[in-house]
Amino acid sequence: MDIIAVKNYLKSLNLPDFRAKQIIKNYFSGHYSDFASMSDLPLALRTDLDNKYPLLSVTESNLLKSTDSQKVALKLHDGLYIESVLMDYGDWLTACISTQVGCPLGCTFCATGKMGLKRNLTIEEIVDQIIYWNIKLFPKYVGRLVFMGMGEPFLNWDNLIEALKIINDKNYLNIGSRKISISSAGIVPKIIEFANLNTEINLALSLHSADQKVRQQLMPIAKQYSLAELKKALDFYTHKTNRQVMLEYILIDNQNDQPEDIKLLKEFIGNNFLFHINIIPLNPVKGGLIPSTHQKEFVDGLDKAGIPFTIRRSVGRSINSACGQLIINNNQ
Ligand code: SAH
Ligand code: SF4
């Protein structure tokens, strides 16, 4: 919901302040899917608001469910689509949020990258993905967020930051910063800006190789921001915030899974004890690369080198909702 537009409209009707508060509370409660069902409002106002504003800026188009995840295609006001994922880790529900329709960065291993960028998502479209899941789940609700859906969050900076304020706000969605993770492909100036915000939001960085040449082949953005610049920005981040950074590392057969890659990784980490490697099994995408057949040797090598790491549990492959598998044909 466009909170400012609705607030201004209510003001123009000279309604008492509590009405706006009531409507905003209803919207964030996840209890209502339209204004018409807000039975604590006068009927005429409900009808009027329903005619003027959609409660949600996204509408469900296709919902797929597996045992541990759900994936939805959401239609936007201009007919474009995005995908959002809900993951059930047993004790908490985590939503994987998109920030762009497609992505301009074209990483070779990622389905979204093959779409190119259609446009940035608005603040409402980012927030409404969460409200959409909360309405579906009611009275359960989303407890954690990962900005790892479609798009590069740091390339939709302004809307991301405004959406995060709404997500954090006690009177709005009230999801604490420590329960939120943002993943970036490595937009160096934005990593610095993010560090300077001094939030408690977790930062994940898609590294995937500590070899400049290999990283450039996998992630074209690496030509613009070198590993050396990236390391400097990440060291600045950890120094400034004293927070851990997750370095995401997809294992791709014979490309980044050799003993030499561990050596380079060790050099990249240097003496920064706040870097933590997150090994991600490569999820299959069309015409894509081959998942590593050396995972065991690689993680043993990490162990030996004293590099801290975890292996990410992959959910949702059966419905193509795992990392990097989100894609929509927006030309249909
Ligand atoms: N654009 C951001 C966030 C979205 S991608 C980024 O790139 O970080 C979220 C994560 O999924 C990233 O770490 C990305 O590298 C990873 N990913 C992309 N394609 C993948 C695939 N085929 N298999 C496994 N992980 C993938
Ligand atoms: Fe974009 Fe991230 Fe996919 Fe790369 S991995 S194309 S940055 S969404």
Side-chain angles (χ1 to χ4, degrees):
M1 181 177 91
D2 186 339
I3 300 171
I4 295 169
V6 171
K7 263 186 170 171
N8 284 340
Y9 178 63
L10 294 172
K11 221 181 223 160
S12 76
L13 296 177
N14 280 323
L15 289 171
D17 277 355
F18 77 86
R19 279 289 177 228
K21 281 200 185 124
Q22 194 179 10
I23 289 167
I24 288 168
K25 195 167 163 240
N26 285 350
Y27 163 62
F28 284 110
S29 72
H31 201 163
Y32 306 93
S33 49
D34 51 24
F35 291 106
S37 48
M38 295 182 184
S39 51
D40 55 351
L41 298 181
L43 186 59
L45 180 60
R46 283 189 246 165
T47 316
D48 187 26
L49 285 172
D50 250 341
N51 290 334
K52 286 211 164 57
Y53 303 98
L55 186 68
L56 288 193
S57 56
V58 298
T59 45
E60 177 183 305
S61 156
N62 189 23
L63 179 64
L64 295 172
K65 293 187 186 190
S66 73
T67 47
D68 52 11
S69 85
Q70 302 184 45
K71 176 170 86 164
V72 68
L74 294 170
K75 190 172 183 181
L76 311 177
H77 71 87
D78 53 1
L80 293 175
Y81 293 82
I82 51 163
E83 292 191 319
S84 256
V85 178
L86 184 80
M87 294 164 291
D88 190 347
Y89 286 111
D91 45 356
W92 62 76
L93 291 160
T94 303
C96 179
I97 301 299
S98 293
T99 51
Q100 299 184 308
V101 186
C103 179
L105 298 185
C107 302
T108 52
F109 45 77
C110 172
T112 310
K114 301 194 193 310
M115 292 172 59
L117 176 69
K118 309 288 176 201
R119 69 168 170 86
N120 278 334
L121 293 184
T122 63
I123 303 162
E124 291 79 52
E125 288 163 343
I126 295 172
V127 173
D128 282 345
Q129 292 171 63
I130 309 161
I131 310 268
Y132 164 83
W133 287 118
N134 281 349
I135 292 169
K136 275 263 158 240
L137 296 164
F138 192 84
K140 290 188 186 169
Y141 54 88
V142 169
R144 287 177 191 254
L145 297 179
V146 291
F147 284 83
M148 296 187 184
M150 291 177 152
E152 166 53 42
F154 283 175
L155 289 181
N156 186 10
W157 179 263
D158 292 349
N159 291 347
L160 171 74
I161 298 302
E162 286 310 308
L164 285 170
K165 284 184 194 158
I166 293 171
I167 289 165
N168 263 168
D169 194 312
K170 293 228 163 4
N171 297 312
Y172 292 167
L173 261 174
N174 195 19
I175 301 180
S177 298
R178 284 162 181 256
K179 299 198 171 118
I180 303 172
S181 299
I182 298 178
S183 176
S184 171
I187 312 296
V188 164
K190 293 302 175 195
I191 295 173
I192 308 278
E193 224 174 303
F194 190 64
N196 284 325
L197 288 180
N198 242 324
T199 73
E200 294 191 310
I201 294 172
N202 305 300
L203 177 65
L205 192 285
S206 297
L207 187 65
H208 306 322
S209 173
D211 180 326
Q212 178 64 28
K213 246 171 89 192
V214 175
R215 191 163 189 270
Q216 272 176 213
Q217 280 161 9
L218 296 172
M219 308 176 71
I221 188 68
K223 290 179 204 150
Q224 196 173 337
Y225 302 112
S226 69
L227 277 168
E229 286 173 277
L230 190 56
K231 173 162 173 58
K232 228 166 114 187
L234 292 173
D235 283 339
F236 175 78
Y237 173 87
T238 54
H239 184 72
K240 178 95 189 167
T241 63
N242 204 26
R243 297 185 65 76
Q244 221 179 39
V245 175
M246 280 288 172
L247 300 177
E248 295 162 294
Y249 201 100
I250 305 174
L251 282 182
I252 306 170
D253 209 37
N254 294 325
Q255 297 221 20
N256 63 356
D257 60 352
Q258 298 300 306
E260 179 61 20
D261 294 303
I262 295 175
K263 234 162 99 192
L264 292 170
L265 208 44
K266 179 117 181 131
E267 270 168 40
F268 183 84
I269 291 172
N271 57 5
N272 194 328
F273 61 90
L274 288 168
F275 288 165
H276 187 98
I277 304 289
N278 194 206
I279 298 292
I280 313 177
L282 178 72
N283 293 310
V285 300
K286 250 196 205 147
L289 305 153
I290 302 166
S292 173
T293 50
H294 308 101
Q295 178 162 327
K296 167 110 182 45
E297 294 92 311
F298 191 82
V299 297
D300 283 350
L302 290 178
D303 234 353
K304 266 199 204 116
I307 299 173
F309 71 94
T310 41
I311 301 174
R312 183 180 292 175
R313 199 178 115 199
S314 183
V315 301
R317 273 197 197 170
S318 63
I319 54 169
N320 284 342
S321 70
C323 291
Q325 293 190 309
L326 305 186
I327 188 163
I328 284 270
N329 178 6
N330 272 303
N331 302 319
Q332 45 192 251

